[in-house]
Amino acid sequence: LLHPHSVHLSSPSLLLLLTSPISLCRPAERSAEDVDIILTRLKGFKAFQRFHPSLLLQICSCAFYEYLGKVFRQGDIGTSWYAVLSGSLDVKVSETANHQDAVTICTLGIGTAFGESILDNTPRHATIVSRETSELLRIEQREFKSLWEKYSQCMAGLLAPPYGAMETGSNNDSDSCVVPSEKLQRGGKVMRNAILSRAPHMIRDRKYHLKTYRQCCVGTELVDWLVQQSPCVYTRSHAVGMWQVLLEEGVLNHVDQELGFQDKYLFYRFLDDEEEHTPLPSKEEKRESEEELPETILFLAQMGPDALLRMILCKPPGQRTGDDPEIIYDELLHIKALSHLSDTVKRELASVLIFESHAKAGTVLFNQGEEGTSWYIIQKGSVNVVIYGKGVVCTLHEGDDFGKLALVTDSPRAASIVLREDNCHFLRVDKEDFNRILRDVEANTVRLKEHEQAVLVLEKSPRASSLGNIRYTVLSGTPEKILDHLLETMRMDTHHSDPGANDFVLMHCVFMPNSQFFVCYIFNPVCTYHAVAPPGSEQERLEYAVTCKRRVLNLALRWAAVHTHHLQEEPAALIFLEELYGSVSNDSRILRALKDFVPDLEKVVKLQYQKVLTQFSNGDEKLVKTQPIRNCDDILLKVYCSDHTYTTIRVAVAATGSEVTSAVADKLASNDDLILVHLSSAGEKQMLKPNDVSVFSSLSINGRMFACPRDQLNALTPLPDQEGPSAGSMSSFQLMSSKDLAYQMTLYDWELFSCVHEHELLYHTFGRQSFRRTTANLDLFLRRFNQVQLWVVTEVCLCGQLSKRVQLLKKFIKIAAHCREFKNLNSFFAIIMGMSNPAVSRLTQTWEKLPSKFKKFYAEFESMMDPSRNHRAYRLTVTKIEPPIIPFMPLLLKAGDRKHHPGGETLQESAVQ
């Protein structure tokens, strides 16, 4: 460690870059393997993909990993250059020395770079402040200058071009395709030849309204044909987007030169058929096209969604029909700049967004000092933020937004925006629509205030209820007022699904951590079950009492259904349910409307949970039928000493680190002050905190738990059995059917997945220490993913013969295909990620020997891991699969972590931002 907030890039805490731990070392001490692993991960960042390999190697050898609250202040002399690896930072510019008037002009996201003023030792042009926990890659001035001298041509895009004579470019430049024409022309030829080979009747002369159209295809027939060719074509709209890619490039043309492909009875002609008497493809050409078809379809499938969205956004808002608004809305759900907006605002934006593109780098989108007329979101490409006299202060990339400050404050533009690269695409909202949406949000918002403080904020739902009444969605409020609102608006039908009530009973533990508070409130005699009826006739008072009781019972039964066995862990909850059951039993004798609730409540009250004892030492779970691990269960935990002896203790599942060390000390009759350590197979030590909950489930694959005095920490060494296997099991599992293996894996994964309760996802997202609850079932399911992934790597690396390694790759590709067939996406992705591990992917001779058929399968599978556009490929895959499925859990948890932002903002701030 160089200083408290800076570690070298090879730090094991840099989970974003590294999949296997690397020892802490100085740059000069990094091994070739360390650099290779870092290099592999850096290539996964878009910002580094255009760098020359030798430049990347230099960066891996000299860069540092860092996280800071404030990187530097405007006017300081710079000492380092930075790139953002995770998180986000604000760029603030001040006109005075005291920085009191500092204005945030933009936000830096993942992949942005800043700090190039170190090349000429000029003061920093802006203050950079982190908005959240952010990870940075830092290169010191001397090393950065050295890199610039050697690789100035490669790195030229990182620095500001001479912007003295820039001209504003026009919107929607025609040259908007960056894919090499040769590749798409070849793709169009492959598609045409495949159609002529498989369905030659599709390309023929067509007559329509007494006019003959030579050698045409029909839009609907093209879509039908493409959907049938490959599972990577998810929907008809996806196929439309794929044909749109060829249409935009001119490889496919509408007979009347319309710019958008439609799934209708419209005529389209391939470029090769534009000339008369075009010869048919030969047998050799057809054979080549058949071989290239899967790769061509995969290539078009990756580009199709963007082309479809561009086609829809190019339509004037008033001409968008059918599924167009929903397709735009679905895209907006995954743009990080809009992640904090409500669904209503996103739908409003979907109806007014305009597509804008510019072809040439250096084009000025708008100039500093101009009137603000639009808000922009970068869909593709990057822009530089330029301030007069200061130069480029930051760079914005895909998913970032800019331009809203001038619209909100009605002030001139604070900076100029200049295209940093060719072919940039933007989503634009004009000022009139921006202000209208803001006004609509306020008009549809109801605020209930007490003592000048908002205690409940509701938003009018765009869809009325089935009874024609206006419905409201809760945006924020105090727990008491939210509960009041839910009870007042709850349907009396016990079988009706109320999303608001369901969300509340699941999520209340986040903002009402004490279940007793919830129990006491719902049973409050003033406003709930025993509510006093207002003055009125006897019949009116009776109806009021029955309605109140039924609403409370509906909510209580939903609460009990969600929490099930968790209720056994809350004495206050059990007391509440018993008292409620007694009250309902007595009241039902008089009020017949309550009789239906008695049997359901009786089942809940009489539900008993038998405590389970689970043995857990190092994660070697047997493949037997499992059952959920509860917070109140006990485990037998094997804890090792520094001399490799061990003791077995019995502790609660949710036991903390301090409780485990105390149990170990009692078992060993030791008076020493023990610490709890997780020791990996590589010898890396991680001290567990005393307040860590459910420490047993934090063990890694082949990890062991040690307890020792602090002075023995450095003497800890891995156990012999932590080294892992020395020989593979190919001889046994190669004889098994790939389909049977995938089926048995799916059965076991389904049991693990079924044990995971929704609450565990909440505890993981918000921190299980806050709830003192275990996420053991979720941890075991995630461990299963790691086990399968490392199993693939281990088997391949332990196989010494080239021919057998090729057979192993074929076997794993088959197993992965069957896992996808069985809707087991967790194991499917674990196998594919295992095969893409650097230890396997670097085996070039093995991959060269793999038959082309399996290479194509693997390429298709690997494309589903594409992280671009917020893992669009995975999302499209899931939408095509009928539930139930076993999801790719690590990705879901990553999305949950990204969406969880502690703190809040006003509705107006959300709508504006």
Side-chain angles (χ1 to χ4, degrees):
L1 296 177
L2 291 185
H3 55 79
H5 297 292
S6 179
V7 298
H8 294 77
L9 187 59
S10 56
S11 164
S13 67
L14 188 50
L15 299 179
L16 190 62
L17 293 181
L18 305 179
T19 56
S20 61
I22 301 175
S23 60
L24 287 172
C25 56
R26 297 185 180 279
E29 300 172 357
R30 292 177 189 160
S31 66
E33 183 181 2
D34 294 345
V35 173
D36 192 28
I37 293 176
I38 299 170
L39 175 64
T40 301
R41 294 307 162 196
L42 279 183
K43 286 181 178 178
F45 288 89
K46 182 179 179 181
F48 295 102
Q49 288 174 356
R50 64 181 182 277
F51 285 4
H52 192 275
S54 59
L55 172 57
L56 275 178
L57 283 173
Q58 292 289 326
I59 291 176
C60 294
S61 300
C62 68
F64 295 84
Y65 165 78
E66 187 165 299
Y67 64 96
L68 290 174
K70 179 176 291 185
V71 181
F72 53 70
R73 181 183 290 273
Q74 180 179 344
D76 291 348
I77 300 298
T79 59
S80 298
W81 174 86
Y82 299 86
V84 183
L85 301 176
S86 72
S88 58
L89 305 97
D90 283 334
V91 179
K92 297 177 179 288
V93 174
S94 172
E95 296 295 334
T96 62
N98 59 14
H99 304 282
Q100 294 299 316
D101 61 342
V103 176
T104 300
I105 60 173
C106 65
T107 300
L108 302 177
I110 297 174
T112 54
F114 57 94
E116 58 271 13
S117 63
I118 61 175
L119 283 175
D120 51 12
N121 294 318
T122 56
R124 298 295 196 188
H125 302 314
T127 299
I128 308 293
V129 181
S130 62
R131 305 179 70 207
E132 55 186 310
T133 301
S134 301
E135 296 174 297
L136 307 176
L137 180 141
R138 179 173 65 86
I139 301 178
E140 294 181 345
Q141 183 180 31
R142 181 168 58 86
E143 283 77 13
F144 188 76
K145 282 186 174 182
S146 175
L147 291 175
W148 174 251
E149 291 174 0
K150 295 180 182 178
Y151 305 101
S152 57
Q153 291 183 341
C154 298
M155 302 178 68
L158 291 173
L159 305 185
Y163 291 121
M166 296 182 299
E167 296 181 358
T168 302
S170 59
N171 293 348
N172 301 314
D173 299 298
S174 59
D175 183 16
S176 61
C177 187
V178 293
V179 179
S181 296
E182 295 80 6
K183 189 166 186 178
L184 280 175
Q185 285 178 358
R186 179 58 189 169
K189 186 180 290 291
V190 169
M191 299 291 278
R192 173 182 176 270
N193 292 347
I195 291 175
L196 289 173
S197 176
R198 299 184 178 189
H201 64 279
M202 289 176 55
I203 302 179
R204 66 179 190 271
D205 293 346
R206 311 271 181 169
K207 288 187 178 181
Y208 187 71
H209 285 188
L210 305 180
K211 185 176 180 180
T212 300
Y213 297 89
R214 186 180 47 79
Q215 293 298 291
C216 294
C217 304
V218 174
T220 51
E221 293 180 1
L222 287 174
V223 172
D224 290 337
W225 180 84
L226 188 53
V227 168
Q228 296 171 4
Q229 302 309 306
S230 173
C232 67
V233 184
Y234 304 108
T235 61
R236 295 187 67 85
S237 61
H238 189 196
V240 169
M242 294 167 66
W243 290 119
Q244 177 67 21
V245 173
L246 298 179
L247 192 70
E248 290 178 348
E249 186 67 12
V251 178
L252 182 72
N253 296 295
H254 186 269
V255 293
D256 291 331
Q257 304 305 311
E258 291 187 10
L259 301 179
F261 184 91
Q262 297 187 58
D263 186 8
K264 295 181 179 179
Y265 192 80
L266 299 176
F267 297 155
Y268 298 90
R269 184 183 296 121
F270 282 98
L271 182 63
D272 287 347
D273 292 319
E274 292 289 347
E275 298 181 5
E276 294 188 22
H277 310 299
T278 302
L280 294 175
S282 64
K283 289 185 178 180
E284 180 65 20
E285 288 176 328
K286 287 184 178 180
R287 184 189 62 79
E288 292 177 353
S289 295
E290 287 292 335
E291 291 181 354
E292 296 179 33
L293 183 62
E295 184 179 350
T296 300
I297 291 178
L298 180 60
F299 173 64
L300 293 175
Q302 293 171 341
M303 301 181 65
D306 288 337
L308 177 65
L309 184 65
R310 282 195 302 272
M311 180 182 72
I312 295 172
L313 290 170
C314 285
K315 299 179 184 178
Q319 296 181 14
R320 295 171 188 166
T321 58
D323 295 333
D324 291 353
E326 283 300 318
I327 292 174
I328 301 174
Y329 170 73
D330 182 67
E331 178 69 18
L332 299 186
L333 291 176
H334 308 288
I335 295 178
K336 67 179 181 180
L338 309 178
S339 60
H340 60 288
L341 300 180
S342 69
D343 287 346
T344 302
V345 174
K346 289 190 181 80
R347 291 190 180 278
E348 289 277 355
L349 289 174
S351 65
V352 300
L353 277 172
I354 299 172
F355 177 76
E356 181 173 321
S357 66
H358 298 273
K360 300 299 181 182
T363 300
V364 180
L365 207 57
F366 55 73
N367 282 300
Q368 182 177 347
E370 292 180 351
E371 178 187 358
T373 58
S374 300
W375 171 37
Y376 294 87
I377 301 164
I378 303 176
Q379 189 192 24
K380 179 182 180 182
S382 59
V383 299
N384 283 323
V385 180
V386 183
I387 295 180
Y388 297 144
K390 301 180 183 297
V392 177
V393 294
C394 67
T395 301
L396 304 177
H397 293 266
E398 179 183 311
D400 294 327
D401 69 303
F402 58 90
K404 63 176 175 285
L405 179 64
L407 302 187
V408 175
T409 61
D410 203 22
S411 58
R413 297 292 194 187
S416 299
I417 299 295
V418 185
L419 265 64
R420 184 170 175 266
E421 56 187 282
D422 291 343
N423 191 43
C424 292
H425 296 174
F426 303 92
L427 304 179
R428 190 185 82 225
V429 180
D430 291 334
K431 185 174 183 179
E432 181 180 350
D433 294 319
F434 183 88
N435 291 334
R436 178 185 58 78
I437 292 174
L438 186 60
R439 288 195 303 268
D440 289 347
V441 168
E442 287 301 314
N444 292 324
T445 302
V446 178
R447 289 182 173 85
L448 176 63
K449 293 186 176 182
E450 291 182 357
H451 307 294
E452 301 301 321
Q453 296 291 325
V455 293
L456 185 65
V457 181
L458 305 175
E459 181 184 50
K460 186 185 298 183
S461 174
R463 300 174 183 174
S465 69
S466 57
L467 301 178
N469 300 323
I470 297 175
R471 295 183 63 86
Y472 289 90
T473 302
V474 177
L475 294 183
S476 63
T478 63
E480 299 93 330
K481 294 302 179 184
I482 293 176
L483 189 54
D484 280 343
H485 174 76
L486 290 176
L487 289 172
E488 290 174 5
T489 58
M490 183 174 291
R491 289 272 299 271
M492 291 296 99
D493 182 7
T494 56
H495 302 290
H496 174 73
S497 179
D498 186 339
N502 293 340
D503 289 346
F504 184 84
V505 297
L506 176 63
M507 296 286 295
H508 83 272
C509 59
V510 175
F511 45 87
M512 300 172 69
N514 187 349
S515 295
Q516 186 174 1
F517 175 71
F518 174 66
V519 170
C520 293
Y521 182 77
I522 199 173
F523 208 49
N524 189 308
V526 177
C527 55
T528 52
Y529 187 82
H530 294 303
V532 179
S537 65
E538 183 176 349
Q539 182 63 27
E540 291 173 342
R541 290 168 60 85
L542 182 62
E543 291 178 355
Y544 178 86
V546 171
T547 300
C548 287
K549 295 177 189 297
R550 285 175 59 86
R551 285 173 175 165
V552 170
L553 291 172
N554 267 322
L555 188 62
L557 286 174
R558 291 182 184 183
W559 174 59
V562 168
H563 290 260
T564 57
H565 293 295
H566 290 78
L567 296 175
Q568 305 293 325
E569 303 166 14
E570 292 286 348
L574 294 176
I575 294 173
F576 156 70
L577 288 171
E578 291 172 356
E579 291 180 358
L580 184 61
Y581 174 65
S583 298
V584 174
S585 298
N586 293 330
D587 293 343
S588 63
R589 299 169 185 170
I590 304 174
L591 305 173
R592 292 187 175 182
L594 302 183
K595 281 191 174 182
D596 293 341
F597 293 95
V598 176
D600 293 334
L601 269 177
E602 185 177 7
K603 291 179 183 177
V604 174
V605 171
K606 293 184 177 181
L607 180 65
Q608 295 294 327
Y609 175 66
Q610 189 67 33
K611 209 172 190 181
V612 174
L613 178 64
T614 304
Q615 183 171 354
F616 193 95
S617 57
N618 56 10
D620 295 333
E621 295 82 27
K622 303 300 181 183
L623 294 180
V624 296
K625 185 171 180 60
T626 184
Q627 58 179 322
I629 298 175
R630 309 294 184 187
N631 214 62
C632 57
D633 290 341
D634 288 343
I635 59 167
L636 294 177
L637 183 61
K638 190 180 290 186
V639 182
Y640 292 84
C641 302
S642 57
D643 59 358
H644 289 187
T645 60
Y646 68 88
T647 183
T648 302
I649 59 172
R650 177 170 180 165
V651 292
V653 164
T656 62
S658 59
E659 290 171 345
V660 171
T661 53
S662 177
V664 172
D666 291 344
K667 189 73 175 288
L668 299 177
S670 172
N671 295 323
D672 294 330
D673 186 14
L674 302 179
I675 59 173
L676 206 59
V677 181
H678 169 222
L679 185 65
S680 71
S681 57
E684 293 178 345
K685 308 173 185 71
Q686 178 187 359
M687 292 179 56
L688 302 178
K689 299 177 182 178
N691 62 338
D692 284 347
V693 177
S694 194
V695 293
F696 80 95
S697 62
S698 64
L699 287 177
S700 63
I701 306 299
N702 286 342
R704 299 292 186 272
M705 190 171 294
F706 282 75
C708 66
R710 188 174 295 272
D711 57 6
Q712 296 181 10
L713 177 62
N714 294 330
L716 296 182
T717 58
L719 301 171
D721 64 354
Q722 285 185 257
E723 296 179 2
S726 57
S729 57
M730 177 182 176
S731 58
S732 56
F733 93 88
Q734 186 76 322
L735 301 175
M736 305 177 192
S737 162
S738 300
K739 189 170 185 177
D740 290 344
L741 273 172
Y743 181 70
Q744 293 301 324
M745 290 171 65
T746 301
L747 288 180
Y748 184 63
D749 289 352
W750 178 254
E751 287 188 3
L752 290 177
F753 177 59
S754 301
C755 291
V756 180
H757 194 278
E758 297 96 321
H759 279 137
E760 295 189 52
L761 302 178
L762 295 179
Y763 302 153
H764 173 90
T765 301
F766 292 93
R768 61 188 179 189
Q769 280 79 10
S770 304
F771 304 91
R772 209 185 183 289
R773 288 289 186 272
T774 183
T775 57
N777 299 292
L778 177 59
D779 294 335
L780 292 177
F781 186 55
L782 293 174
R783 179 195 298 274
R784 173 65 174 173
F785 181 91
N786 295 332
Q787 284 175 332
V788 174
Q789 181 181 356
L790 294 178
W791 168 56
V792 174
V793 178
T794 302
E795 290 290 350
V796 174
C797 292
L798 289 179
C799 184
Q801 296 183 8
L802 176 61
S803 59
K804 290 187 176 180
R805 282 200 303 273
V806 174
Q807 293 301 316
L808 268 177
L809 292 184
K810 291 171 61 178
K811 187 75 171 181
F812 283 125
I813 290 173
K814 289 179 182 178
I815 296 173
H818 288 302
C819 283
R820 189 176 69 165
E821 177 187 345
F822 294 137
K823 307 177 187 179
N824 183 359
L825 299 183
N826 203 61
S827 282
F828 168 78
F829 280 104
I831 294 172
I832 300 304
M833 290 185 71
M835 297 180 70
S836 64
N837 186 283
V840 178
S841 62
R842 72 174 66 181
L843 302 174
T844 53
Q845 294 182 28
T846 305
W847 286 98
E848 287 173 358
K849 294 289 185 181
L850 189 68
S852 58
K853 173 184 176 181
F854 287 90
K855 288 181 182 178
K856 291 172 183 176
F857 281 139
Y858 176 71
E860 177 187 335
F861 296 162
E862 194 176 35
S863 70
M864 295 169 60
M865 296 194 303
D866 180 12
S868 63
R869 309 301 288 274
N870 197 22
H871 296 272
R872 184 210 292 271
Y874 172 78
R875 291 187 283 108
L876 290 175
T877 301
V878 172
T879 58
K880 197 175 181 181
I881 301 177
E882 290 291 331
I885 68 172
I886 303 177
F888 180 22
M889 186 60 74
L891 178 60
L892 298 185
L893 294 179
K894 176 185 175 183
D897 292 340
R898 184 172 60 250
K899 290 180 179 180
H900 168 51
H901 299 292
E905 52 202 355
T906 67
L907 180 67
Q908 183 173 2
E909 290 170 339
S910 296
V912 169
Q913 295 174 359

